[in-house]
Amino acid sequence: MRKESPKVTLVDHKGPMLLPDTAYDMWARGELDDFVHAPESSRVEVIGGTVVVTPPPSLEHNAIIGDITYALAFAHAGRADFPWRADQGTGLSLVGVGEGFIPDLMVLDQEVYLAARRSRVRTLVPDQVELVVEVTSSSNAGNDRRPTEKRRTDNKWNGYAAAEIPYYLLIDRSPKVMQSILYSIPDQGSAAYLHEESWDFGQTVKLPEPFDMDIDTTEWKSWDN
């Protein structure tokens, strides 16, 4: 069931401002950016009912996404039956949850991707997406990780699980973690993933079926390196 998102007061350098509608509804209509005074190329999302503005990512952040995209393209080139396509930068509308995310990367079946492209949709919905990828940054890693028991908050991890995205690959660049974590078996009722598998940076990430592909992480480093 979709959460009811109240109207919120947005605070920026120009002072407080009451939004004319819920943050999610404005995001879904493509209107929220007009009320957020943020640097160009920033991402404006609705996470846990809160408007979150993320600055443009660093080169290293984008390079990791590039490595994953390359691995997908390599698998596609080598296997005639490989059906997966990558999308970067499109919004993901979690209609039933009332959240609006912009994942670092989404992986879709090729036929689904082409149908969405031909329909000229502005955002995708969870039923179209098989895998989402997020790469953490020091400023907003808490939005991507599984919440701790001591500080339970609704974030992207909960949102993806509640929306029943089958797989969530989290690349955690914290110097204390430095791991790729694949979450699977989403449980809508608890808004949680029930299974996880992880690889240290430097190890090859082995995505299971239905992907059955490897991702080289040799060059992946923490955000302090």
Side-chain angles (χ1 to χ4, degrees):
M1 180 178 294
R2 178 182 161 186
K3 297 183 297 184
E4 289 298 325
S5 300
K7 293 182 181 180
V8 300
T9 299
L10 187 64
V11 179
D12 65 9
H13 69 282
K14 293 188 176 181
M17 175 177 56
L18 182 66
L19 294 178
D21 200 348
T22 67
Y24 168 74
D25 287 338
M26 293 184 67
W27 183 94
R29 295 194 300 265
E31 300 170 357
L32 187 57
D33 285 18
D34 294 336
F35 287 82
V36 177
H37 303 284
E40 188 175 354
S41 300
S42 296
R43 294 182 182 179
V44 179
E45 303 173 282
V46 181
I47 305 174
T50 300
V51 177
V52 176
V53 179
T54 305
S58 66
L59 173 62
E60 178 56 29
H61 179 286
N62 285 340
I64 290 175
I65 293 300
D67 290 340
I68 298 171
T69 303
Y70 177 82
L72 286 160
F74 184 81
H76 188 272
R79 291 156 50 190
D81 62 342
F82 190 81
W84 305 108
R85 292 284 297 268
D87 175 89
Q88 187 174 353
T90 301
L92 178 63
S93 183
L94 280 65
V95 181
V97 182
E99 306 277 90
F101 300 162
I102 304 177
D104 286 323
L105 193 73
M106 291 184 280
V107 178
L108 301 78
D109 180 271
Q110 182 169 258
E111 292 302 317
V112 174
Y113 176 90
L114 289 174
R117 180 178 181 179
R118 290 164 183 164
S119 298
R120 298 188 176 184
V121 299
R122 199 183 68 82
T123 60
L124 296 171
V125 294
D127 287 348
Q128 296 171 303
V129 180
E130 190 72 16
L131 168 75
V132 290
V133 180
E134 296 285 1
V135 179
T136 65
S137 299
S138 58
S139 62
N140 62 355
N143 290 330
D144 302 327
R145 295 179 179 136
R146 173 167 55 187
T148 64
E149 291 298 325
K150 292 182 179 179
R151 189 181 178 186
R152 175 61 187 272
T153 57
D154 289 332
N155 64 3
K156 286 190 169 184
W157 188 88
N158 298 121
Y160 290 139
E164 298 184 286
I165 302 290
Y167 295 94
Y168 173 28
L169 180 62
L170 174 66
I171 314 301
D172 198 332
R173 297 174 57 225
S174 166
K176 297 180 180 180
V177 182
M178 296 178 63
Q179 284 189 329
S180 307
I181 308 165
L182 180 66
Y183 295 102
S184 59
I185 312 180
D187 181 68
Q188 185 181 50
S190 61
Y193 283 98
L194 305 182
H195 183 264
E196 67 179 78
E197 185 175 3
S198 63
W199 301 264
D200 292 335
F201 282 7
Q203 294 181 320
T204 299
V205 173
K206 296 184 175 294
L207 296 185
E209 293 285 354
F211 310 103
D212 189 24
M213 56 172 284
D214 295 345
I215 301 172
D216 181 12
T217 72
T218 302
E219 298 297 326
W220 295 7
K221 303 292 189 294
S222 74
W223 58 55
D224 279 357
N225 288 348

